[in-house]
Amino acid sequence: MLVLENHDQPKPYDAVRGGQLPPPVGGVVLGGLAGVKHRLSSSVSEHRIAALRETLNYGDAGLKIVIKICQSETGPVQRAACDLLRKKLSSIAREKLQAFVTSSSDTEAEVDSTQKILEHSSGAVSEKNYDRQMSEAQLIFETVTQQIQPNVLLLEALLASVEREEFTSELMNLWELLILEIQEPLKELRQAVGTAISAQLRIQWLYNQAESQANQWQQRALLALQTQDENSVRLAVVRKQIQFEQAAELKIDLDYQTVRVETLNRNLLALESKIAQANSKKEILKMQLHFAKVQQQIDFTFSQVNSIFFSP
């Protein structure tokens, strides 16, 4: 599990930051991740490659930098970044695959805990607690997203760095394990978004009701005017004003909750897109490996036939 740290603080493996001259290859820079970023901005490939080797000392933040370089650059720096990612992923694969059996029970406990919160927040919604329900759904979404963020980051690293030649069985198992670990939390995220949408629909209904009743009182006031019933007119006007004010307050809440729901839904779609992209890439790589093995078998068969029938 990758741990977020204060990456701008010096680490035990930091040394001294130099002046304006480029630091020596293999040198270490004071200033934590900021110092590493400074070296990565060098125009000299050797200096950048040396800095890359230190980047993964800084957890998720460093891993994101290496992924970005692997995805967006070309040449020796990109190759070094991708090679670094593959080595890191192989190391993580060994750790995660060894710990998978013992950690699965803990994961189920976390899922059960979050599920209880969801069940608590998905009951009948009164006029006074739709905002609480929305907030609970948002909290669950943020909590679960944070829990699976390391897996999503590792999937991005796999997507960025792994090609057919490096798609070992170890990395394939890691890939499938990461996807497996995400599936249950992903269901919880969808439920949280569904809960938020339910709260939004509730406030939409309340707003429509308030607006409809205001219009009804407006019609009653007009009818009372025609009959010159002053008491009914005053009553209808007061009731109409109350309903209009309620509708105005609910419209403010509705607009705010709509933005929250759209944000949750957009984040969920972005996450699902990343997972779908990872699954698609994995299947392509598996198919390429299969055809490569078939081709090897065909080549071997032809070589055997040639050696039997055409050897001198």
Side-chain angles (χ1 to χ4, degrees):
M1 181 72 69
L2 301 171
V3 181
L4 293 171
E5 303 173 358
N6 187 353
H7 304 303
D8 289 330
Q9 295 299 318
K11 299 292 186 297
Y13 35 77
D14 293 330
V16 179
R17 181 170 181 173
Q20 299 301 317
L21 293 176
V25 176
V28 187
V29 179
L30 184 63
L33 187 59
V36 176
K37 288 180 179 178
H38 176 74
R39 296 178 67 196
L40 286 170
S41 66
S42 170
S43 59
V44 182
S45 296
E46 289 80 3
H47 296 164
R48 300 185 69 204
I49 291 171
L52 271 174
R53 300 190 186 103
E54 299 168 26
T55 307
L56 292 181
N57 291 327
Y58 296 93
D60 288 1
L63 183 58
K64 288 178 182 177
I65 292 173
V66 181
I67 292 172
K68 183 177 180 180
I69 291 174
C70 188
Q71 288 175 325
S72 61
E73 298 200 20
T74 58
V77 177
Q78 183 208 35
R79 290 193 294 272
C82 291
D83 185 57
L84 193 64
L85 281 179
R86 284 190 290 272
K87 290 178 181 177
K88 180 68 175 178
L89 289 167
S90 294
S91 173
I92 292 172
R94 287 190 290 272
E95 295 174 6
K96 286 186 72 71
L97 294 171
Q98 289 172 359
F100 174 65
V101 175
T102 56
S103 66
S104 59
S105 58
D106 297 333
T107 302
E108 290 174 1
E110 291 176 3
V111 169
D112 290 342
S113 175
T114 311
Q115 186 64 32
K116 288 178 182 177
I117 299 175
L118 281 167
E119 290 171 355
H120 173 72
S121 65
S122 61
V125 187
S126 71
E127 293 183 10
K128 297 181 180 180
N129 71 359
Y130 56 76
D131 186 68
R132 176 183 58 80
Q133 186 183 26
M134 179 77 74
S135 297
E136 287 177 350
Q138 193 169 16
L139 176 61
I140 291 170
F141 191 95
E142 292 171 356
T143 301
V144 175
T145 300
Q146 188 174 10
Q147 289 173 356
I148 67 175
Q149 186 58 35
N151 281 33
V152 175
L153 195 56
L154 292 176
L155 282 174
E156 289 182 4
L158 280 162
L159 281 169
S161 63
V162 176
E163 298 298 335
R164 192 188 75 188
E165 292 76 10
E166 297 86 13
F167 194 43
T168 63
S169 58
E170 185 180 62
L171 291 182
M172 185 186 296
N173 290 336
L174 172 62
W175 206 316
E176 292 175 348
L177 178 57
L178 293 174
I179 295 291
L180 178 65
E181 289 178 345
I182 284 176
Q183 292 308 307
E184 196 62 36
L186 188 60
K187 292 179 184 178
E188 297 176 57
L189 293 180
R190 292 178 181 132
Q191 288 176 312
V193 172
T195 300
I197 292 173
S198 174
Q200 180 196 21
L201 292 175
R202 175 63 177 173
I203 191 173
Q204 176 74 61
W205 182 84
L206 292 172
Y207 167 71
N208 292 341
Q209 286 291 104
E211 194 175 48
S212 174
Q213 289 178 16
N215 291 330
Q216 289 176 15
W217 283 111
Q218 173 71 14
Q219 294 299 321
R220 291 184 184 183
L222 292 175
L223 291 174
L225 278 174
Q226 293 175 4
T227 60
Q228 297 182 352
D229 185 347
E230 294 183 3
N231 289 332
S232 296
V233 170
R234 282 195 294 270
L235 175 64
V237 169
V238 170
R239 292 290 183 87
K240 180 199 74 171
Q241 188 61 31
I242 291 173
Q243 292 299 324
F244 269 134
E245 289 175 358
Q246 288 182 355
E249 292 177 2
L250 287 167
K251 184 64 168 65
I252 293 172
D253 286 347
L254 177 60
D255 291 343
Y256 174 59
Q257 306 295 10
T258 298
V259 171
R260 296 171 76 179
V261 168
E262 288 175 351
T263 300
L264 287 177
N265 203 38
R266 184 167 55 251
N267 292 339
L268 177 61
L269 290 174
L271 178 60
E272 289 180 327
S273 176
K274 287 181 181 179
I275 295 170
Q277 185 182 7
N279 276 325
S280 177
K281 177 73 177 288
K282 184 188 71 172
E283 293 305 315
I284 290 172
L285 290 172
K286 287 173 68 174
M287 188 164 41
Q288 288 176 342
L289 278 175
H290 172 72
F291 284 127
K293 290 178 180 178
V294 170
Q295 187 62 48
Q296 287 178 355
Q297 293 174 350
I298 293 173
D299 293 343
F300 176 76
T301 301
F302 273 107
S303 66
Q304 292 292 98
V305 170
N306 288 335
S307 64
I308 293 173
F309 292 100
F310 299 103
S311 59

